């Protein structure tokens, strides 16, 4: 394992796109982590990179951005909302709504005691630009 770590340290930038120093900082931010093995760092970075590629490819393939030949935030958000595999990302990739719609939801919440979800189905393209 030591030889692998030594070998990776010289070539790691060619093998992963994500900056290992950032991944290390994120990993160390967890209180349970005391030290990080170089191999574990590399594998975490590579797995993260592959996951992001998979999320992007899936979202593009199943999204509306295909029509414009572009991956949009809406495509990612829709994937997080609809695909069981990615539902854990729903809080990180919330569906965009207009500020006015959000304020109405807050007013309704004050009146009713809960957030209303009745008007969420109208996903207009202009919502993306306005929010």
């Amino acid at each position: 394992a030591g030889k692998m770590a030594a070998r990776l340290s010289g070539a790691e930038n060619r093998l992963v796109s994500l900056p290992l120093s950032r991944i290390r900082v994120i990993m160390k931010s967890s209180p349970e982590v005391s030290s990080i093995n170089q191999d574990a760092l590399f594998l975490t970075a590579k797995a993260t990179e592959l996951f992001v590629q998979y999320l992007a490819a899936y979202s593009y393939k199943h999204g509306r951005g295909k029509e414009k030949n572009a991956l949009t935030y809406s495509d990612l958000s829709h994937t997080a909302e609809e695909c069981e595999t990615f539902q854990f990302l729903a809080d990180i990739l919330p569906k965009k709504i207009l500020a006015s719609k959000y304020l109405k939801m807050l007013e309704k919440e004050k009146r009713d005691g809960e957030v209303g979800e009745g008007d969420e189905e109208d996903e207009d393209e202009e919502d993306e630009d306005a929010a």
Side-chain angles (χ1 to χ4, degrees), residues 14 19 31 47 51 54 68 103 110 123 127:
R14 286 177 281 152
F51 173 77
Y54 178 63
K68 299 176 189 170
L103 291 172
K110 282 182 186 174
E123 285 183 41
D127 282 6

Side-chain angles (χ1 to χ4, degrees), residues 2 13 16 46 51 57 60 63 67 70 81-82 88 126:
N13 289 335
V16 291
K46 192 64 183 174
F51 173 77
Y60 179 80
E67 299 151 15
E81 191 178 356
E82 299 297 325
F88 74 98
E126 67 254 20

Side-chain angles (χ1 to χ4, degrees), residues 54-95:
Y54 178 63
L55 170 64
Y58 185 96
S59 298
Y60 179 80
K61 184 178 177 185
H62 295 89
R64 284 190 273 166
K66 232 180 355 219
E67 299 151 15
K68 299 176 189 170
N69 201 24
L71 177 64
T72 66
Y73 180 89
S74 266
D75 296 333
L76 293 167
S77 177
H78 185 263
T79 295
E81 191 178 356
E82 299 297 325
C83 178
E84 192 174 333
T85 303
F86 297 109
Q87 280 182 349
F88 74 98
L89 295 172
D91 291 342
I92 297 166
L93 294 166
K95 186 160 55 172

Side-chain angles (χ1 to χ4, degrees), residues 64 77-78 81-82 94-97 101-102 105 115-124 127:
R64 284 190 273 166
S77 177
H78 185 263
E81 191 178 356
E82 299 297 325
K95 186 160 55 172
K96 280 187 174 181
I97 62 171
K101 201 182 255 189
Y102 180 70
M105 283 171 55
V115 177
E117 296 182 14
D119 298 329
E120 287 187 16
E121 289 305 312
D122 53 333
E123 285 183 41
D124 296 330
D127 282 6

Side-chain angles (χ1 to χ4, degrees), residues 104-117:
K104 284 180 187 171
M105 283 171 55
L106 286 178
E107 287 173 20
K108 184 171 172 30
E109 182 180 343
K110 282 182 186 174
R111 285 195 313 268
D112 302 349
E114 65 179 49
V115 177
E117 296 182 14

